[in-house]
Amino acid sequence: MQRALIGLYRILPLWLLYGVMALVIPFYILLDGKGRLSSWRFFRRRIGYGRLKSTIHVYLNMFNMGMVVLDRFAAYAGKKFCVEREDNSLYQVYCGRDEGFVILSSHIGNYEMAGYTLLSPKHMNVLVYAGETATVMSNRERMFEGCNVTMVPVSEDMSHLFRLNSALAQGEVASLPADRVFGSSKAVRCSFMGADASFPAGPFTLAHSREVSALAVFCVKTGLKRYKVILHPVAGGSVRELAQAFAKEVENVVRRWPDQWYNFYDFWA
Amino acid sequence: MDNLINELKLKIIDSLNLDGMTPEDIDDNAPLFGDDGLGLDSIDVLELIVLMERNYGIRLDSPSKGKEVFRSVAVMAKYIAENRTK
């Protein structure tokens, strides 16, 4: 299925597949009751939209997520995207230091697209979900060739923790998603979008215990074939302070691009 | 060895923010992970790796070695005594 999608992309224009997806999304929304409700509550309670506007944005939210998934396969098929950076110098400043640093990513926009273009002078170790299909993993590896990036799958034997720790000790970059609690149940409650929500303790514990800097990186879709990378330093003297500072950065981005927030569960439970 | 075990317990309590615990509450031979012992989880492994490096100059790069060393406080202390560089 995924290989067929990549093959289709080589012959069909991007907008055509978006168009087909636009027709499929309503059925997907009907079938995914839990995701639909979480998304609707997010727009209603956290963004403050009315009932009808929230319903429309559930569709836009799902459509945006679909575009991001299709864009990922389009990139695998060789389509080019324009990825601009809000502050190009910040990343270079971090890379110019001897010590390693932690990149905190989130389920906003398309972080993978940022990885293809960061061209890091420091070696980057990106924590990835181990359950991805062989097609996705092999294409990612191909895309990351020449980008100085190694993917580190989450592993039951905790080898990913040893690898990320060693990477930071050697002055490399460790990149982790920091807005979803998985694996360890340890979480930090942070004020986020007007209420308390759980953020995973792991990424902030890694940065704090190794005493390295942290950088929040977001990659949002701004046009048919355009993305924007946004970088912000995340500072704090404790795991809690780091998590709260990151939550604030996530909130700033989510308020600008609420349709690109892809956590389809009750984030504030 | 008893002094090292006690020192290690204090460092674990401090690193992992085990509020309200004292060294006496930690059995030397109880497993650090799982429900039977301290009940630590994967995030705590990170803290233990850094604790070993910062305090005793021991770099643990392999999960198999970590699994062997982080069995209990007594095993950790024995490994530290044999391999510490500071």
Side-chain angles (χ1 to χ4, degrees):
Chain A
M1 170 67 182
Q2 290 172 336
R3 278 186 190 167
L5 197 58
I6 294 167
L8 267 180
Y9 262 116
R10 294 200 172 107
I11 49 174
L12 296 176
L14 201 54
W15 59 264
L16 186 61
L17 287 168
Y18 285 170
V20 173
M21 185 187 65
L23 301 173
V24 175
I25 290 289
F27 298 100
Y28 181 79
I29 291 173
L30 282 173
L31 292 171
D32 182 16
K34 202 174 164 188
R36 178 182 67 221
L37 188 62
S38 298
S39 178
W40 192 83
R41 282 179 175 161
F42 163 72
F43 288 111
R44 186 90 178 92
R45 295 176 183 174
R46 302 294 151 217
I47 304 297
Y49 290 163
R51 290 172 187 277
L52 179 61
K53 195 172 177 186
S54 294
T55 305
I56 293 166
H57 279 270
V58 168
Y59 178 86
L60 293 173
N61 193 195
M62 299 275 186
F63 182 72
N64 270 284
M65 189 184 70
M67 283 199 293
V68 161
V69 173
L70 292 179
D71 286 357
R72 188 188 294 176
F73 288 100
Y76 297 161
K79 297 261 195 238
K80 299 292 178 203
F81 290 84
C82 174
V83 183
E84 57 175 335
R85 286 195 213 161
E86 206 169 64
D87 184 352
N88 201 36
S89 61
L90 190 62
Y91 191 74
Q92 299 307 322
V93 168
Y94 274 66
C95 285
R97 298 171 182 162
D98 289 338
E99 67 268 26
F101 62 94
V102 170
I103 284 182
L104 304 166
S105 65
S106 62
H107 293 82
I108 296 171
N110 190 352
Y111 175 64
E112 191 170 324
M113 197 64 78
Y116 300 150
T117 57
L118 276 173
L119 297 174
S120 179
K122 270 186 187 290
H123 191 78
M124 194 193 290
N125 301 268
V126 182
L127 189 70
V128 294
Y129 171 56
E132 293 284 16
T133 63
T135 305
V136 169
M137 288 303 279
S138 64
N139 277 288
R140 271 183 180 163
E141 276 171 18
R142 188 172 51 78
M143 293 297 293
F144 282 133
E145 272 175 19
C147 292
N148 208 7
V149 170
T150 300
M151 285 179 287
V152 180
V154 174
S155 170
E156 272 193 22
D157 70 358
M158 297 190 262
S159 58
H160 56 289
L161 298 175
F162 287 84
R163 286 181 67 181
L164 294 180
N165 179 69
S166 294
L168 287 173
Q170 289 163 22
E172 296 179 354
V173 184
S175 169
L176 306 88
D179 67 337
R180 196 177 284 180
V181 180
F182 71 101
S184 168
S185 59
K186 290 203 171 172
V188 186
R189 296 292 284 178
C190 299
S191 171
F192 178 59
M193 307 285 294
D196 282 355
S198 292
F199 284 74
F204 310 104
T205 302
L206 182 65
H208 181 254
S209 62
R210 287 234 59 100
E211 297 174 4
V212 294
S213 306
L215 194 60
V217 177
F218 309 95
C219 185
V220 291
K221 189 170 172 71
T222 53
L224 183 67
K225 295 178 87 173
R226 293 186 79 84
Y227 279 91
K228 177 189 266 189
V229 178
I230 301 159
L231 305 104
H232 279 285
V234 174
S238 66
V239 170
R240 179 167 297 281
E241 284 177 16
L242 276 169
Q244 185 58 66
F246 177 70
K248 183 69 187 156
E249 296 301 337
V250 174
E251 179 166 343
N252 290 341
V253 175
V254 169
R255 289 204 182 277
R256 270 176 87 183
W257 290 279
D259 294 335
Q260 296 194 44
W261 163 256
Y262 308 130
N263 278 309
F264 295 102
Y265 63 95
D266 186 4
F267 199 81
W268 289 264
Chain B
M1 183 61 86
D2 284 347
N3 283 347
L4 179 57
I5 286 177
N6 198 56
E7 174 192 302
L8 187 56
K9 286 178 181 175
L10 286 169
K11 288 188 188 305
I12 289 172
I13 290 167
D14 182 48
S15 294
L16 305 182
N17 293 318
L18 303 175
D19 295 334
M21 282 196 95
T22 65
E24 292 73 36
D25 297 328
I26 304 174
D27 187 323
D28 294 2
N29 298 300
L32 294 176
F33 297 89
D35 297 333
D36 298 334
L38 267 184
L40 305 185
D41 79 354
S42 57
I43 303 302
D44 300 314
V45 170
L46 272 174
E47 299 278 14
L48 294 181
I49 295 169
V50 176
L51 183 157
M52 296 283 275
E53 193 179 324
R54 292 262 154 82
N55 294 282
Y56 306 107
I58 296 172
R59 281 269 304 265
L60 290 170
D61 289 331
S62 95
S64 58
K65 180 57 80 178
K67 203 172 178 179
E68 182 191 318
V69 174
F70 296 145
R71 280 213 311 267
S72 68
V73 172
V75 175
M76 273 181 83
K78 184 170 181 291
Y79 188 80
I80 290 167
E82 291 168 355
N83 295 280
R84 67 188 301 171
T85 58
K86 63 179 180 184

